[in-house]
Amino acid sequence: MTRYFKVAGHVFSFSMTDSCSLWPRLTQYDPFVTEEHDGVLFSVTLTGEPFERPSLLETVYDPETEPGETLVRLSRGAGFWLFDMSPDREIPCRSHLVASEDFSTGTLYLDTRRVSDAIFGINNSLMLLFAFRSAPLGTLEMHASMVSNGGKAYLFLARSGTGKSTHSQLWLDHVPGSELMNDDNPVVRVLDDGTVMAFGSPWSGKTPCYRNVQAPAGAFVRIRRCPENRITPLSILEAYALLYSSSSGFKADRTIADGLHATLEKIVTTTPCYVLDCRPDEEAARVCSSEVLG
């Protein structure tokens, strides 16, 4: 069975056997189901075949990660890419995605019978290929928590565990009219008319917030822990560095990198970016919202 999904205007597909018990566990994708089959950005197929590691691989990305952080190792072969994935560096990689050279197709192999491991492999395969394939199309998959208020989206960016979700919750609790759009992996796209639009996605980290919603981006805010609450506008260069570090994509690939650069340039010249030095308290939400909401 093949199902099609539409995120931020981009259609992609995922296939596995009709009898596979994983379909009922993928309800996070239900809001994004589409009947559109044209212009598919990429396709991923889950196979039941055992994984056999190709020979003559060149490792091109093997980052240092903290305990508990997701590990994605990228290798290159003759005309294909291999992603080895694990939810933690201390756990062996049991999910393997073999992708075509242009990342338009992928075959996912799972060395596990655990449902949670299988869902991890599916989610990460789709997230990775979405980020890689959409980057040249004015689209960023971002590591951020995002709320809406007054018809616009506000994205809070920071390192994992340093307050993005907390600050979103403070808005939900103390800034009337706020709603959570996504808590970990929203998508930002520059439309043909120059509008910077933010979208919900099927990927939202530990918080189940899988909403097919969209709103113009009102501001990007870096969250930084501090004994006092203050918000400061960022220069264009500072804003570029912030958004670059918070965007997913294989930046060693020229096509992807050029796409990211062009999109970031459009965003930072049209959308305000700030740094919020703050405590995790009600006042922080009020200081931030009073500035960015205008």
Side-chain angles (χ1 to χ4, degrees), residues 111-231:
D111 295 337
T112 178
R113 292 181 177 273
R114 293 182 55 184
V115 171
S116 60
D117 287 345
I119 299 300
F120 166 83
I122 293 168
N123 284 335
N124 277 272
S125 296
L126 295 176
M127 280 194 297
L128 285 164
L129 292 196
F130 184 90
F132 286 20
R133 288 286 291 171
S134 67
L137 303 175
T139 306
L140 301 177
E141 185 182 298
M142 304 203 70
H143 184 45
S145 184
M146 181 172 71
V147 301
S148 63
N149 191 291
K152 291 188 176 181
Y154 298 91
L155 293 92
F156 307 125
L157 302 88
R159 291 177 59 85
S160 296
T162 56
K164 297 185 302 298
S165 297
T166 297
H167 194 73
S168 283
Q169 188 60 52
L170 290 171
W171 274 55
L172 301 181
D173 293 340
H174 303 296
V175 182
S178 299
E179 293 186 6
L180 187 66
M181 295 177 70
N182 186 274
D183 201 38
D184 196 52
N185 287 103
V187 176
V188 177
R189 183 175 183 183
V190 180
L191 305 183
D192 291 341
D193 65 359
T195 301
V196 179
M197 192 68 70
F199 298 81
S201 81
W203 313 294
S204 189
K206 297 177 181 178
T207 303
C209 183
Y210 313 114
R211 301 180 63 199
N212 190 0
V213 292
Q214 65 185 66
F220 297 84
V221 182
R222 179 187 178 190
I223 306 299
R224 192 165 63 185
R225 284 283 168 254
C226 185
E228 59 181 296
N229 296 313
R230 62 177 181 269
I231 188 167

Side-chain angles (χ1 to χ4, degrees), residues 229-231 276-277 282-292:
N229 296 313
R230 62 177 181 269
I231 188 167
L276 176 68
D277 294 299
E282 177 181 348
E283 185 191 49
R286 300 202 181 279
V287 167
C288 182
S289 61
S290 65
E291 175 69 22
V292 303

Side-chain angles (χ1 to χ4, degrees), residues 242-277:
L242 169 64
L243 299 188
Y244 181 86
S245 64
S246 300
S247 303
S248 300
F250 182 35
K251 295 158 185 174
D253 180 273
R254 182 64 179 271
T255 300
I256 294 174
D258 286 350
L260 290 174
H261 170 73
T263 303
L264 290 169
E265 186 176 32
K266 293 174 183 176
I267 292 174
V268 299
T269 54
T270 59
T271 310
C273 298
Y274 302 86
V275 59
L276 176 68
D277 294 299

Side-chain angles (χ1 to χ4, degrees), residues 23-145:
W23 280 122
R25 302 297 295 271
L26 294 172
T27 56
Q28 70 198 73
Y29 292 89
D30 289 351
F32 303 89
V33 171
T34 182
E35 297 299 319
E36 295 183 36
H37 295 179
D38 296 331
V40 173
L41 189 65
F42 67 90
S43 302
V44 173
T45 300
L46 173 62
T47 179
E49 297 297 319
F51 176 67
E52 296 184 8
R53 178 167 293 276
S55 58
L56 302 176
L57 290 172
E58 174 191 3
T59 301
V60 294
Y61 182 70
D62 187 10
E64 291 295 328
T65 56
E66 299 294 330
E69 288 186 345
T70 297
L71 169 66
V72 177
R73 183 182 299 114
L74 178 60
S75 304
R76 185 165 195 166
F80 67 91
W81 300 90
L82 171 63
F83 297 86
D84 294 305
M85 300 170 286
S86 171
D88 190 320
R89 180 174 284 276
E90 304 302 316
I91 299 174
C93 292
R94 300 189 178 99
S95 301
H96 313 278
L97 176 68
V98 178
S100 60
E101 195 162 17
D102 64 355
F103 302 108
S104 63
T105 61
T107 301
L108 175 61
Y109 299 81
L110 298 175
D111 295 337
T112 178
R113 292 181 177 273
R114 293 182 55 184
V115 171
S116 60
D117 287 345
I119 299 300
F120 166 83
I122 293 168
N123 284 335
N124 277 272
S125 296
L126 295 176
M127 280 194 297
L128 285 164
L129 292 196
F130 184 90
F132 286 20
R133 288 286 291 171
S134 67
L137 303 175
T139 306
L140 301 177
E141 185 182 298
M142 304 203 70
H143 184 45
S145 184

